[in-house]
Amino acid sequence: MIQKIEILYQDTDYLIVNKPAGILTIPDRFDSNIINVTTELKKQFASIFTVHRIDRYTSGVLCFAKNEAAHKHLNAQFEHHTLQKTYLALVHGNAPDDGIIDFKIMEDPSKPGRMEASEKHGKPALTKFKTLQQFGNISLVEIYPETGRTHQIRVHFLAIGHPLLIDEMYGSAEPFLLSSVKRKYKLSKLQETENPLMQRLTLHASKIEFKHIVDEKTISITAPLPKDFAAVIKQLEKL
């Protein structure tokens, strides 16, 4: 069993949860026994429709519909880009204050499951962002993807020279250690090795805004930062 999935919002039409990092959104294509959010929620709710996905090692807002009408209504907003998704990411380097990344995204022909940015080939993809804080050679950025291509944020930030701080597929798989940024770091007497502050994808789906099917009013839901992500930011701010 996985940890209890935090429900951020629900009514008769929608269910919005805070997905833990490391858990799939939907069942795995090859192994249905791998735990995933959709299957877990179906144990609690009679009717659940998947609307969108976030990567396995990304945490944060995940939206489901409870009936076919709400599902269709949300899908239309995703398709026409009238709904707003916001992410937070820690990336390498001093990112620009803000910007728009406009590269097409295509499959990497040499590496199955991996995507790459291209000026000429692939599907159109657009990512807007602004930098919230800079910590030496690390930046905290807020990201607003206008499209929803596979691995879009990860691929786009790699393309502009600012890959995610931890990203096994598109950058470095090395965990974040406090000793990497704190010059006089010392292990405590009870420690034999240093414990990483974070060792997964440094990406969090922080917010979603969409129009409700009943009255077209805007629903805005925010997922708090998980402990590992918040701990890294806290230490970077101190230094």
Side-chain angles (χ1 to χ4, degrees), residues 36-86:
N36 64 89
V37 175
T38 302
T39 299
E40 290 300 307
L41 290 177
K42 284 182 177 180
K43 296 175 183 178
Q44 303 176 54
F45 299 93
S47 179
I48 287 293
F49 295 79
T50 305
V51 180
H52 67 121
R53 309 178 200 177
I54 54 178
D55 292 341
R56 180 173 186 171
Y57 295 101
T58 300
S59 57
V61 174
L62 192 56
C63 190
F64 295 86
K66 286 186 173 182
N67 55 67
E68 291 185 7
H71 184 226
K72 183 177 180 180
H73 190 258
L74 268 180
N75 276 340
Q77 293 179 68
F78 272 96
E79 183 179 347
H80 296 103
H81 314 302
T82 56
L83 134 166
Q84 178 72 62
K85 293 181 291 181
T86 304

CSV table of all heavy atoms in Angstrom, one decimal, residues 36-86:
chain,number,residue,atom,x,y,z
A,36,ASN,N,-0.6,2.5,-8.5
A,36,ASN,CA,-0.8,3.7,-9.2
A,36,ASN,C,-2.0,4.5,-8.6
A,36,ASN,O,-2.8,3.9,-7.9
A,36,ASN,CB,-1.0,3.5,-10.7
A,36,ASN,CG,-2.3,2.7,-10.9
A,36,ASN,OD1,-3.4,3.3,-11.1
A,36,ASN,ND2,-2.2,1.4,-11.0
A,37,VAL,N,-2.0,5.8,-8.8
A,37,VAL,CA,-3.1,6.6,-8.1
A,37,VAL,C,-4.5,6.2,-8.6
A,37,VAL,O,-5.4,6.1,-7.8
A,37,VAL,CB,-2.8,8.1,-8.4
A,37,VAL,CG1,-3.9,9.0,-7.8
A,37,VAL,CG2,-1.4,8.5,-7.8
A,38,THR,N,-4.6,6.0,-9.9
A,38,THR,CA,-6.0,5.8,-10.4
A,38,THR,C,-6.6,4.5,-9.8
A,38,THR,O,-7.8,4.5,-9.4
A,38,THR,CB,-5.9,5.6,-12.0
A,38,THR,OG1,-5.4,6.8,-12.6
A,38,THR,CG2,-7.3,5.4,-12.5
A,39,THR,N,-5.8,3.4,-9.8
A,39,THR,CA,-6.4,2.2,-9.2
A,39,THR,C,-6.7,2.3,-7.7
A,39,THR,O,-7.7,1.9,-7.2
A,39,THR,CB,-5.3,1.1,-9.4
A,39,THR,OG1,-5.1,0.9,-10.8
A,39,THR,CG2,-5.9,-0.2,-8.8
A,40,GLU,N,-5.8,3.1,-7.0
A,40,GLU,CA,-6.0,3.3,-5.6
A,40,GLU,C,-7.3,4.1,-5.3
A,40,GLU,O,-8.1,3.8,-4.4
A,40,GLU,CB,-4.8,4.0,-4.9
A,40,GLU,CG,-3.6,3.2,-4.9
A,40,GLU,CD,-3.8,1.9,-4.0
A,40,GLU,OE1,-4.2,2.0,-2.9
A,40,GLU,OE2,-3.5,0.8,-4.5
A,41,LEU,N,-7.5,5.1,-6.2
A,41,LEU,CA,-8.7,5.9,-6.0
A,41,LEU,C,-10.0,5.2,-6.3
A,41,LEU,O,-11.1,5.4,-5.7
A,41,LEU,CB,-8.6,7.2,-6.8
A,41,LEU,CG,-7.6,8.2,-6.4
A,41,LEU,CD1,-7.5,9.4,-7.4
A,41,LEU,CD2,-7.9,8.7,-5.0
A,42,LYS,N,-9.9,4.3,-7.3
A,42,LYS,CA,-11.1,3.5,-7.7
A,42,LYS,C,-11.6,2.6,-6.5
A,42,LYS,O,-12.7,2.1,-6.5
A,42,LYS,CB,-10.8,2.7,-8.9
A,42,LYS,CG,-10.8,3.5,-10.2
A,42,LYS,CD,-10.6,2.7,-11.4
A,42,LYS,CE,-10.7,3.6,-12.7
A,42,LYS,NZ,-10.5,2.8,-13.9
A,43,LYS,N,-10.7,2.3,-5.6
A,43,LYS,CA,-11.1,1.5,-4.4
A,43,LYS,C,-12.0,2.4,-3.5
A,43,LYS,O,-12.7,1.8,-2.6
A,43,LYS,CB,-9.8,1.1,-3.6
A,43,LYS,CG,-8.9,0.1,-4.4
A,43,LYS,CD,-7.7,-0.2,-3.6
A,43,LYS,CE,-6.7,-1.1,-4.4
A,43,LYS,NZ,-5.5,-1.4,-3.7
A,44,GLN,N,-11.9,3.7,-3.6
A,44,GLN,CA,-12.6,4.6,-2.7
A,44,GLN,C,-13.8,5.2,-3.3
A,44,GLN,O,-14.8,5.6,-2.7
A,44,GLN,CB,-11.7,5.7,-2.2
A,44,GLN,CG,-10.4,5.2,-1.5
A,44,GLN,CD,-9.6,6.4,-1.1
A,44,GLN,OE1,-10.0,7.4,-0.5
A,44,GLN,NE2,-8.3,6.3,-1.5
A,45,PHE,N,-13.8,5.4,-4.7
A,45,PHE,CA,-14.8,6.2,-5.4
A,45,PHE,C,-15.4,5.3,-6.5
A,45,PHE,O,-14.7,4.6,-7.2
A,45,PHE,CB,-14.3,7.4,-6.0
A,45,PHE,CG,-13.7,8.4,-4.9
A,45,PHE,CD1,-12.4,8.4,-4.6
A,45,PHE,CD2,-14.5,9.3,-4.2
A,45,PHE,CE1,-11.8,9.2,-3.6
A,45,PHE,CE2,-14.0,10.1,-3.3
A,45,PHE,CZ,-12.7,10.1,-3.0
A,46,ALA,N,-16.7,5.4,-6.6
A,46,ALA,CA,-17.4,4.5,-7.6
A,46,ALA,C,-17.1,4.8,-9.0
A,46,ALA,O,-17.0,3.9,-9.8
A,46,ALA,CB,-18.9,4.7,-7.3
A,47,SER,N,-16.8,6.1,-9.3
A,47,SER,CA,-16.6,6.5,-10.7
A,47,SER,C,-15.4,7.5,-10.7
A,47,SER,O,-15.4,8.5,-10.1
A,47,SER,CB,-17.8,7.1,-11.3
A,47,SER,OG,-17.6,7.5,-12.6
A,48,ILE,N,-14.4,7.1,-11.5
A,48,ILE,CA,-13.2,7.9,-11.6
A,48,ILE,C,-12.7,7.9,-13.1
A,48,ILE,O,-12.6,6.9,-13.7
A,48,ILE,CB,-12.0,7.4,-10.7
A,48,ILE,CG1,-12.3,7.7,-9.3
A,48,ILE,CG2,-10.7,8.1,-11.1
A,48,ILE,CD1,-12.3,9.2,-8.9
A,49,PHE,N,-12.6,9.1,-13.7
A,49,PHE,CA,-12.1,9.3,-15.0
A,49,PHE,C,-10.8,10.0,-15.0
A,49,PHE,O,-10.7,11.1,-14.5
A,49,PHE,CB,-13.1,10.0,-15.9
A,49,PHE,CG,-14.4,9.3,-16.1
A,49,PHE,CD1,-15.4,9.4,-15.1
A,49,PHE,CD2,-14.7,8.7,-17.2
A,49,PHE,CE1,-16.6,8.7,-15.2
A,49,PHE,CE2,-15.9,8.0,-17.4
A,49,PHE,CZ,-16.9,8.0,-16.4
A,50,THR,N,-9.7,9.4,-15.6
A,50,THR,CA,-8.4,10.1,-15.7
A,50,THR,C,-8.5,11.2,-16.7
A,50,THR,O,-9.0,11.1,-17.8
A,50,THR,CB,-7.4,9.1,-16.1
A,50,THR,OG1,-7.4,8.0,-15.2
A,50,THR,CG2,-6.0,9.8,-16.1
A,51,VAL,N,-8.0,12.4,-16.3
A,51,VAL,CA,-8.1,13.6,-17.2
A,51,VAL,C,-6.7,13.9,-17.8
A,51,VAL,O,-6.5,14.2,-18.9
A,51,VAL,CB,-8.6,14.8,-16.4
A,51,VAL,CG1,-8.7,16.0,-17.3
A,51,VAL,CG2,-10.0,14.5,-15.9
A,52,HIS,N,-5.7,13.8,-16.9
A,52,HIS,CA,-4.3,14.1,-17.4
A,52,HIS,C,-3.4,13.3,-16.5
A,52,HIS,O,-3.8,12.6,-15.6
A,52,HIS,CB,-4.0,15.6,-17.3
A,52,HIS,CG,-4.0,16.1,-15.9
A,52,HIS,ND1,-2.9,16.7,-15.3
A,52,HIS,CD2,-4.9,16.1,-14.9
A,52,HIS,CE1,-3.1,17.1,-14.0
A,52,HIS,NE2,-4.3,16.7,-13.8
A,53,ARG,N,-2.1,13.3,-16.8
A,53,ARG,CA,-1.1,12.6,-16.1
A,53,ARG,C,0.1,13.6,-15.7
A,53,ARG,O,0.3,14.6,-16.3
A,53,ARG,CB,-0.5,11.5,-16.9
A,53,ARG,CG,-1.5,10.6,-17.5
A,53,ARG,CD,-0.7,9.5,-18.4
A,53,ARG,NE,-1.6,8.9,-19.4
A,53,ARG,CZ,-1.2,8.0,-20.3
A,53,ARG,NH1,0.0,7.6,-20.3
A,53,ARG,NH2,-2.1,7.5,-21.2
A,54,ILE,N,0.8,13.2,-14.6
A,54,ILE,CA,2.1,13.8,-14.4
A,54,ILE,C,3.1,12.7,-14.2
A,54,ILE,O,2.7,11.5,-13.8
A,54,ILE,CB,2.1,14.7,-13.1
A,54,ILE,CG1,1.6,14.0,-11.9
A,54,ILE,CG2,1.3,16.0,-13.4
A,54,ILE,CD1,1.6,14.9,-10.6
A,55,ASP,N,4.4,12.9,-14.5
A,55,ASP,CA,5.4,11.9,-14.4
A,55,ASP,C,5.5,11.2,-13.1
A,55,ASP,O,5.1,11.8,-12.1
A,55,ASP,CB,6.8,12.5,-14.7
A,55,ASP,CG,6.9,13.0,-16.2
A,55,ASP,OD1,6.1,12.6,-17.0
A,55,ASP,OD2,7.8,13.9,-16.4
A,56,ARG,N,5.9,10.0,-13.1
A,56,ARG,CA,6.0,9.2,-11.9
A,56,ARG,C,6.7,9.8,-10.8
A,56,ARG,O,6.2,9.8,-9.6
A,56,ARG,CB,6.7,7.8,-12.3
A,56,ARG,CG,6.8,6.9,-11.1
A,56,ARG,CD,7.3,5.5,-11.5
A,56,ARG,NE,7.3,4.6,-10.4
A,56,ARG,CZ,7.5,3.3,-10.5
A,56,ARG,NH1,7.8,2.8,-11.7
A,56,ARG,NH2,7.5,2.5,-9.5
A,57,TYR,N,7.8,10.5,-11.1
A,57,TYR,CA,8.6,11.1,-10.0
A,57,TYR,C,8.4,12.6,-9.8
A,57,TYR,O,9.2,13.2,-9.2
A,57,TYR,CB,10.1,10.8,-10.3
A,57,TYR,CG,10.4,9.3,-10.2
A,57,TYR,CD1,10.5,8.5,-11.3
A,57,TYR,CD2,10.4,8.6,-8.9
A,57,TYR,CE1,10.7,7.1,-11.2
A,57,TYR,CE2,10.6,7.3,-8.8
A,57,TYR,CZ,10.8,6.5,-10.0
A,57,TYR,OH,11.0,5.2,-9.9
A,58,THR,N,7.3,13.0,-10.4
A,58,THR,CA,6.8,14.4,-10.2
A,58,THR,C,5.7,14.3,-9.1
A,58,THR,O,4.9,13.5,-9.2
A,58,THR,CB,6.3,15.0,-11.4
A,58,THR,OG1,7.3,15.1,-12.4
A,58,THR,CG2,5.8,16.5,-11.2
A,59,SER,N,5.8,15.3,-8.2
A,59,SER,CA,4.7,15.3,-7.2
A,59,SER,C,3.7,16.4,-7.6
A,59,SER,O,3.9,17.2,-8.4
A,59,SER,CB,5.3,15.7,-5.8
A,59,SER,OG,6.0,16.9,-5.9
A,60,GLY,N,2.5,16.4,-6.9
A,60,GLY,CA,1.6,17.5,-7.0
A,60,GLY,C,0.2,17.3,-7.5
A,60,GLY,O,-0.3,16.1,-7.5
A,61,VAL,N,-0.4,18.3,-8.0
A,61,VAL,CA,-1.8,18.4,-8.4
A,61,VAL,C,-2.1,17.4,-9.5
A,61,VAL,O,-1.5,17.4,-10.6
A,61,VAL,CB,-2.2,19.8,-8.8
A,61,VAL,CG1,-3.7,19.8,-9.3
A,61,VAL,CG2,-2.1,20.8,-7.6
A,62,LEU,N,-3.1,16.6,-9.3
A,62,LEU,CA,-3.6,15.6,-10.3
A,62,LEU,C,-5.1,15.6,-10.2
A,62,LEU,O,-5.7,15.5,-9.2
A,62,LEU,CB,-3.1,14.2,-9.9
A,62,LEU,CG,-3.2,13.1,-11.0
A,62,LEU,CD1,-2.6,13.6,-12.3
A,62,LEU,CD2,-2.6,11.8,-10.5
A,63,CYS,N,-5.7,15.9,-11.4
A,63,CYS,CA,-7.2,16.1,-11.5
A,63,CYS,C,-7.9,14.9,-12.1
A,63,CYS,O,-7.5,14.4,-13.1
A,63,CYS,CB,-7.4,17.4,-12.3
A,63,CYS,SG,-9.1,18.0,-12.2
A,64,PHE,N,-9.0,14.5,-11.5
A,64,PHE,CA,-9.9,13.4,-12.0
A,64,PHE,C,-11.3,14.0,-12.1
A,64,PHE,O,-11.7,14.9,-11.4
A,64,PHE,CB,-9.9,12.2,-11.1
A,64,PHE,CG,-8.5,11.5,-11.0
A,64,PHE,CD1,-7.6,12.0,-10.1
A,64,PHE,CD2,-8.2,10.5,-11.8
A,64,PHE,CE1,-6.3,11.3,-10.0
A,64,PHE,CE2,-7.0,9.8,-11.7
A,64,PHE,CZ,-6.0,10.3,-10.8
A,65,ALA,N,-12.1,13.4,-13.0
A,65,ALA,CA,-13.5,13.6,-13.1
A,65,ALA,C,-14.3,12.5,-12.5
A,65,ALA,O,-13.8,11.4,-12.5
A,65,ALA,CB,-13.9,13.8,-14.6
A,66,LYS,N,-15.5,12.8,-12.0
A,66,LYS,CA,-16.3,11.8,-11.4
A,66,LYS,C,-17.4,11.3,-12.3
A,66,LYS,O,-18.2,10.4,-11.9
A,66,LYS,CB,-16.9,12.3,-10.1
A,66,LYS,CG,-15.9,12.4,-8.9
A,66,LYS,CD,-16.6,12.8,-7.6
A,66,LYS,CE,-15.7,12.8,-6.4
A,66,LYS,NZ,-16.4,13.1,-5.2
A,67,ASN,N,-17.6,11.9,-13.4
A,67,ASN,CA,-18.6,11.5,-14.4
A,67,ASN,C,-18.2,11.9,-15.8
A,67,ASN,O,-17.3,12.6,-16.0
A,67,ASN,CB,-20.0,12.2,-14.0
A,67,ASN,CG,-19.9,13.7,-13.9
A,67,ASN,OD1,-19.7,14.3,-14.9
A,67,ASN,ND2,-20.1,14.2,-12.7
A,68,GLU,N,-18.9,11.3,-16.7
A,68,GLU,CA,-18.6,11.5,-18.1
A,68,GLU,C,-18.7,12.9,-18.6
A,68,GLU,O,-17.8,13.4,-19.4
A,68,GLU,CB,-19.4,10.6,-19.0
A,68,GLU,CG,-19.1,9.1,-18.9
A,68,GLU,CD,-19.9,8.3,-19.8
A,68,GLU,OE1,-20.6,8.8,-20.7
A,68,GLU,OE2,-19.8,7.0,-19.7
A,69,ALA,N,-19.7,13.7,-18.1
A,69,ALA,CA,-19.9,15.1,-18.5
A,69,ALA,C,-18.7,15.9,-18.1
A,69,ALA,O,-18.1,16.7,-18.8
A,69,ALA,CB,-21.2,15.6,-18.0
A,70,ALA,N,-18.3,15.8,-16.8
A,70,ALA,CA,-17.2,16.5,-16.2
A,70,ALA,C,-15.9,16.2,-16.9
A,70,ALA,O,-15.0,17.0,-17.2
A,70,ALA,CB,-17.1,16.3,-14.7
A,71,HIS,N,-15.8,14.9,-17.3
A,71,HIS,CA,-14.6,14.4,-18.0
A,71,HIS,C,-14.4,15.1,-19.3
A,71,HIS,O,-13.4,15.6,-19.7
A,71,HIS,CB,-14.7,12.9,-18.1
A,71,HIS,CG,-13.5,12.3,-18.8
A,71,HIS,ND1,-13.6,11.3,-19.8
A,71,HIS,CD2,-12.1,12.4,-18.5
A,71,HIS,CE1,-12.4,10.9,-20.1
A,71,HIS,NE2,-11.5,11.6,-19.4
A,72,LYS,N,-15.5,15.1,-20.1
A,72,LYS,CA,-15.6,15.8,-21.4
A,72,LYS,C,-15.3,17.2,-21.3
A,72,LYS,O,-14.5,17.8,-22.1
A,72,LYS,CB,-16.9,15.5,-22.0
A,72,LYS,CG,-17.0,16.1,-23.5
A,72,LYS,CD,-18.4,15.7,-24.1
A,72,LYS,CE,-18.5,16.3,-25.5
A,72,LYS,NZ,-19.8,16.0,-26.1
A,73,HIS,N,-15.8,17.9,-20.3
A,73,HIS,CA,-15.7,19.3,-20.1
A,73,HIS,C,-14.2,19.7,-19.8
A,73,HIS,O,-13.6,20.6,-20.3
A,73,HIS,CB,-16.6,19.8,-18.9
A,73,HIS,CG,-16.7,21.3,-18.8
A,73,HIS,ND1,-16.0,22.0,-17.8
A,73,HIS,CD2,-17.4,22.2,-19.5
A,73,HIS,CE1,-16.3,23.2,-17.9
A,73,HIS,NE2,-17.1,23.4,-18.9
A,74,LEU,N,-13.6,18.9,-18.9
A,74,LEU,CA,-12.2,19.1,-18.6
A,74,LEU,C,-11.2,18.8,-19.8
A,74,LEU,O,-10.3,19.5,-20.0
A,74,LEU,CB,-11.8,18.2,-17.4
A,74,LEU,CG,-11.9,18.9,-16.0
A,74,LEU,CD1,-11.5,17.9,-14.9
A,74,LEU,CD2,-11.1,20.2,-15.9
A,75,ASN,N,-11.5,17.7,-20.5
A,75,ASN,CA,-10.7,17.4,-21.6
A,75,ASN,C,-10.7,18.5,-22.7
A,75,ASN,O,-9.7,18.8,-23.3
A,75,ASN,CB,-11.2,16.1,-22.3
A,75,ASN,CG,-10.7,14.8,-21.6
A,75,ASN,OD1,-9.7,14.9,-20.9
A,75,ASN,ND2,-11.4,13.7,-21.8
A,76,ALA,N,-11.9,19.1,-22.9
A,76,ALA,CA,-12.0,20.2,-23.8
A,76,ALA,C,-11.1,21.4,-23.4
A,76,ALA,O,-10.4,22.0,-24.2
A,76,ALA,CB,-13.4,20.7,-23.9
A,77,GLN,N,-11.0,21.6,-22.1
A,77,GLN,CA,-10.1,22.7,-21.6
A,77,GLN,C,-8.7,22.4,-21.8
A,77,GLN,O,-7.9,23.3,-22.1
A,77,GLN,CB,-10.4,23.0,-20.1
A,77,GLN,CG,-11.8,23.6,-19.9
A,77,GLN,CD,-12.1,23.8,-18.4
A,77,GLN,OE1,-11.5,24.7,-17.8
A,77,GLN,NE2,-13.1,23.1,-17.9
A,78,PHE,N,-8.3,21.1,-21.6
A,78,PHE,CA,-6.9,20.7,-21.9
A,78,PHE,C,-6.6,20.9,-23.4
A,78,PHE,O,-5.6,21.4,-23.7
A,78,PHE,CB,-6.7,19.3,-21.4
A,78,PHE,CG,-6.3,19.1,-20.0
A,78,PHE,CD1,-7.2,18.9,-19.0
A,78,PHE,CD2,-4.9,19.3,-19.6
A,78,PHE,CE1,-6.8,18.7,-17.7
A,78,PHE,CE2,-4.5,19.2,-18.3
A,78,PHE,CZ,-5.5,18.9,-17.3
A,79,GLU,N,-7.5,20.4,-24.2
A,79,GLU,CA,-7.3,20.4,-25.6
A,79,GLU,C,-7.2,21.8,-26.2
A,79,GLU,O,-6.4,22.1,-27.1
A,79,GLU,CB,-8.5,19.7,-26.3
A,79,GLU,CG,-8.4,19.6,-27.8
A,79,GLU,CD,-9.5,18.9,-28.5
A,79,GLU,OE1,-10.3,18.2,-27.7
A,79,GLU,OE2,-9.6,18.9,-29.7
A,80,HIS,N,-8.0,22.8,-25.6
A,80,HIS,CA,-8.0,24.1,-26.2
A,80,HIS,C,-7.1,25.1,-25.3
A,80,HIS,O,-7.1,26.3,-25.5
A,80,HIS,CB,-9.4,24.7,-26.2
A,80,HIS,CG,-10.3,24.0,-27.2
A,80,HIS,ND1,-11.2,23.1,-26.7
A,80,HIS,CD2,-10.3,24.0,-28.5
A,80,HIS,CE1,-11.9,22.6,-27.8
A,80,HIS,NE2,-11.3,23.1,-28.9
A,81,HIS,N,-6.3,24.5,-24.4
A,81,HIS,CA,-5.4,25.3,-23.6
A,81,HIS,C,-6.0,26.4,-22.8
A,81,HIS,O,-5.4,27.5,-22.7
A,81,HIS,CB,-4.2,25.8,-24.5
A,81,HIS,CG,-3.6,24.7,-25.4
A,81,HIS,ND1,-3.1,23.5,-25.0
A,81,HIS,CD2,-3.5,24.7,-26.8
A,81,HIS,CE1,-2.7,22.8,-26.0
A,81,HIS,NE2,-3.0,23.5,-27.1
A,82,THR,N,-7.2,26.2,-22.4
A,82,THR,CA,-7.9,27.3,-21.6
A,82,THR,C,-7.8,27.1,-20.1
A,82,THR,O,-8.3,27.9,-19.3
A,82,THR,CB,-9.4,27.3,-22.0
A,82,THR,OG1,-10.0,26.0,-21.8
A,82,THR,CG2,-9.6,27.7,-23.4
A,83,LEU,N,-7.1,26.0,-19.7
A,83,LEU,CA,-6.9,25.7,-18.3
A,83,LEU,C,-5.4,26.0,-18.0
A,83,LEU,O,-4.6,25.9,-18.9
A,83,LEU,CB,-7.3,24.3,-18.0
A,83,LEU,CG,-6.5,23.3,-17.2
A,83,LEU,CD1,-7.4,22.1,-16.9
A,83,LEU,CD2,-5.4,22.8,-18.0
A,84,GLN,N,-5.1,26.4,-16.8
A,84,GLN,CA,-3.8,26.9,-16.4
A,84,GLN,C,-3.1,25.9,-15.5
A,84,GLN,O,-3.7,25.6,-14.4
A,84,GLN,CB,-3.8,28.3,-15.8
A,84,GLN,CG,-2.4,28.8,-15.3
A,84,GLN,CD,-1.5,29.2,-16.5
A,84,GLN,OE1,-1.9,30.1,-17.2
A,84,GLN,NE2,-0.4,28.5,-16.6
A,85,LYS,N,-2.0,25.4,-15.8
A,85,LYS,CA,-1.2,24.5,-15.0
A,85,LYS,C,0.1,25.3,-14.6
A,85,LYS,O,0.7,25.9,-15.4
A,85,LYS,CB,-0.8,23.2,-15.7
A,85,LYS,CG,-2.0,22.3,-15.9
A,85,LYS,CD,-1.5,21.0,-16.6
A,85,LYS,CE,-1.0,21.3,-18.0
A,85,LYS,NZ,-0.5,20.0,-18.7
A,86,THR,N,0.5,25.1,-13.3
A,86,THR,CA,1.7,25.8,-12.8
A,86,THR,C,2.6,24.7,-12.1
A,86,THR,O,2.1,23.9,-11.3
A,86,THR,CB,1.3,26.9,-11.8
A,86,THR,OG1,0.4,27.8,-12.4
A,86,THR,CG2,2.6,27.6,-11.4
